[in-house]
Amino acid sequence: MAGPTGFLCVVLLAASLISLVAAQFPRDCVTEEGLSSKTCCPINTYTGEMCGGLGRGSCLNHTDQEILDHCNGCENMSVRDLDDRVYWPSKFYTKWCECEWPFTGLACDKCAWGYYGDECQEKKILTRKNIKNPENVDVLHNLQLYLNWLKFNYTIDYMTATCTTAEMFSEDGTVTPCFRNVTVYEFLVYAHWYSTIPYNSTVTNDFAHRGNGFAIWHRHFMLLWERFLQEISGDYDFALPYWKWTSDVKCSICNDEYFGRSHGEAGTLDTSEFSEWRMVCQELIPISEGFICDTDIKEDYLFRHPGRSVHDLPTDEELYETLKWPEFSRFPYDLTSERNFANALIGAAVPLTGSADIGNVYIMHAAGHSFFNGTMDYNAATTPNDPIFSVFHSYVDYILEMWLLYHGERGMQTYPRWGASGGQNWDDYIVGFFPPVTNSQYIKYSTELGYVFEPIPDYNPDKIVDMRTYDNE
């Protein structure tokens, strides 16, 4: 059965003026010919033709897209030349499949969001449910099972590079491919790491968080996560549930019934479904210092200390104050922007006042992560190591959907067309995903992407009452 696009994560590291890469590449495009020609146009297994052929797609050249505007140091030529994310994805591929609707994927062999079947003719809307609703116990048990399958099964579509760019692409023009397999779950962790890790101590170009694109980057990321769960289980009616962490106060899913109880000083999850899970890509080291994430190296076990540093999770009152801001983002479209939804959601602005002068206070999304005092906040780049990330960020997407429905088309039009951080403008490619997708493809109602949330709330921030159902049960 066809599904939507996967993605390519290519990580470049620089030491002195030598570029280094640790990357995830499409398995079909890691040949010497594909890498030399910067071409990724695989044969479609359904039709036997490149990119699917007539009615599916064709192999086209794409204009290079430089991510330079307001890139917190990307005007520096060495950064532009050495950090491959700045030119995403053109340092690796400039020719890929252009798919006809409703097809997508590396070879136009998958379906656009909300479409299913070999010919992508079956359209359906999935329902993402509250994991705390006792009626959804089957959803919880399936999620636990499918997450474990993701963790220990290898992806068939992508591989991870095992050598540096210099070793792979020599000065005389020869290409020596060098790759390893990666599990589906560690693929997700690596993708988040790649887009988040800073270039160096002064160039903090986090392409997934430090700017207005945060909610959009993670919307696409969670759709991929959901589809990977469907593909590994064969359950194409499965929708990723959410955990309503506003007003939960002390985390009512931090127990063995849900995502694991912390044990002892270490905070490990010894008696949970995830007791054997170990982290990857754990070190928070700027890529310019030469750190290469090796997903074959399994590091510490998952751990949490809920409430140790940030004592309580955010409240519904903070949620409603976050939803009230009518502009998605405001100039200068970074973490200093005030009185806007994007920064109130990520935790860079006070929801009540919109002030970006927050000091050491943790708010909304940032407070949610910090509450766990463990894998979920140890390293911002690799928080997906903890499976609780899946339902935590599904709710972040619920908040985005609430804002979109409340503020409508007028609100959507306040998303910046230009001037934002690299990869976060309206038509920018979202860094780290291949085949490439743009932010504009995800600034829309969830029904256009094939899902809704249950219960459907009243989108008047003064009257949101349905969202309170099943809190802290």
Side-chain angles (χ1 to χ4, degrees):
M1 179 176 289
T5 180
F7 59 86
L8 162 71
C9 275
V10 182
V11 173
L12 173 142
L13 300 100
S16 298
L17 293 178
I18 300 175
S19 61
L20 307 174
V21 65
Q24 292 181 4
F25 285 83
R27 187 181 296 272
D28 290 337
C29 301
V30 297
T31 63
E32 180 178 349
E33 179 183 0
L35 292 168
S36 298
S37 64
K38 294 188 175 184
T39 299
C40 187
C41 293
I43 299 298
N44 184 300
T45 56
Y46 295 102
T47 67
E49 298 183 48
M50 181 183 294
C51 299
L54 184 66
R56 284 234 180 192
S58 55
C59 187
L60 298 178
N61 281 309
H62 293 78
T63 303
D64 288 0
Q65 184 178 69
E66 295 185 17
I67 300 172
L68 301 178
D69 291 342
H70 204 65
C71 192
N72 297 322
C74 290
E75 67 278 0
N76 181 304
M77 284 302 296
S78 65
V79 175
R80 288 170 55 185
D81 292 339
L82 294 174
D83 188 340
D84 292 344
R85 299 174 299 179
V86 173
Y87 298 90
W88 186 259
S90 61
K91 281 199 174 181
F92 294 93
Y93 298 109
T94 57
K95 192 174 184 180
W96 58 82
C97 293
E98 185 79 18
C99 303
E100 298 184 28
W101 185 262
F103 300 103
T104 187
L106 295 169
C108 303
D109 53 349
K110 297 183 181 289
C111 299
W113 306 118
Y115 290 83
Y116 297 83
D118 291 344
E119 297 298 326
C120 301
Q121 295 302 310
E122 180 187 355
K123 181 173 174 59
K124 58 183 175 182
I125 304 294
L126 302 179
T127 301
R128 294 184 180 178
K129 299 179 179 181
N130 188 331
I131 202 167
K132 286 302 304 297
N133 183 339
E135 296 179 359
N136 297 332
V137 64
D138 288 345
V139 176
L140 168 63
H141 292 161
N142 285 339
L143 177 63
Q144 293 169 333
L145 178 64
Y146 300 165
L147 284 171
N148 272 289
W149 287 352
L150 286 189
K151 179 68 173 178
F152 299 105
N153 284 275
Y154 286 82
T155 171
I156 61 172
D157 291 333
Y158 294 89
M159 302 182 75
T160 301
T162 60
C163 64
T164 67
T165 301
E167 292 169 329
M168 193 182 303
F169 302 96
S170 64
E171 293 183 358
D172 64 7
T174 60
V175 176
T176 306
C178 43
F179 301 92
R180 68 161 58 89
N181 293 319
V182 62
T183 73
V184 185
Y185 197 93
E186 288 162 0
F187 175 72
L188 290 166
V189 175
Y190 199 106
H192 194 270
W193 174 83
Y194 164 68
S195 295
T196 302
I197 202 75
Y199 175 76
N200 61 32
S201 59
T202 58
V203 182
T204 55
N205 49 339
D206 175 342
F207 294 90
H209 297 86
R210 298 180 65 86
N212 54 265
F214 157 74
I216 305 303
W217 193 100
H218 285 82
R219 166 166 277 196
H220 181 64
F221 187 55
M222 299 320 295
L223 276 163
L224 288 170
W225 196 315
E226 180 175 73
R227 185 49 62 98
F228 288 152
L229 291 167
Q230 294 170 349
E231 289 179 339
I232 203 163
S233 65
D235 182 359
Y236 286 87
D237 292 320
F238 180 80
L240 185 63
Y242 66 91
W243 165 47
K244 185 185 176 300
W245 41 262
T246 56
S247 77
D248 200 350
V249 185
K250 299 295 184 182
C251 185
S252 61
I253 64 170
C254 293
N255 53 55
D256 289 342
E257 180 184 356
Y258 290 91
F259 287 90
R261 176 171 65 90
S262 302
H263 290 261
E265 182 59 28
T268 50
L269 314 179
D270 300 344
T271 56
S272 81
E273 292 278 347
F274 310 102
S275 60
E276 298 301 314
W277 284 39
R278 302 179 79 124
M279 293 182 282
V280 296
C281 308
Q282 193 173 341
E283 296 299 322
L284 184 58
I285 301 175
I287 59 177
S288 62
E289 296 181 18
F291 175 69
I292 296 177
C293 172
D294 184 349
T295 55
D296 280 353
I297 298 176
K298 312 308 178 189
E299 303 178 50
D300 295 339
Y301 288 103
L302 304 181
F303 69 102
R304 304 187 200 115
H305 301 102
R308 176 174 288 188
S309 54
V310 173
H311 300 305
D312 297 317
L313 287 159
T315 66
D316 274 337
E317 285 67 33
E318 291 175 272
L319 165 65
Y320 308 149
E321 294 294 348
T322 296
L323 291 170
K324 75 182 180 186
W325 297 107
E327 292 182 77
F328 194 99
S329 185
R330 301 181 73 191
F331 184 82
Y333 309 119
D334 59 21
L335 297 188
T336 67
S337 303
E338 299 192 326
R339 299 174 62 81
N340 67 90
F341 167 72
N343 276 358
L345 173 59
I346 196 173
V350 179
L352 177 62
T353 66
S355 171
D357 183 16
I358 62 173
N360 293 322
V361 176
Y362 290 94
I363 306 166
M364 286 301 288
H365 162 266
H369 275 283
S370 297
F371 170 84
F372 290 99
N373 197 254
T375 302
M376 272 284 280
D377 80 325
Y378 175 81
N379 175 350
T382 58
T383 52
N385 269 304
D386 191 333
I388 208 169
F389 182 102
S390 60
V391 293
F392 178 92
H393 263 278
S394 185
Y395 183 58
V396 171
D397 193 53
Y398 197 162
I399 296 173
L400 170 62
E401 183 66 10
M402 292 172 69
W403 185 89
L404 290 172
L405 286 168
Y406 181 66
H407 295 283
E409 295 291 337
R410 180 177 296 181
M412 295 181 196
Q413 294 305 312
T414 63
Y415 192 93
R417 266 51 178 177
W418 56 82
S421 296
Q424 301 192 40
N425 295 288
W426 182 266
D427 284 325
D428 283 355
Y429 292 135
I430 305 176
V431 173
F433 299 120
F434 194 89
V437 295
T438 65
N439 291 291
S440 60
Q441 292 174 246
Y442 294 87
I443 306 170
K444 57 182 62 175
Y445 303 122
S446 67
T447 51
E448 298 179 58
L449 299 169
Y451 65 98
V452 294
F453 291 94
E454 180 186 87
I456 300 174
D458 179 343
Y459 291 92
N460 184 329
D462 295 325
K463 298 179 180 178
I464 298 177
V465 292
D466 289 346
M467 291 287 291
R468 302 175 190 271
T469 307
Y470 307 121
D471 286 352
N472 303 311
E473 293 189 0

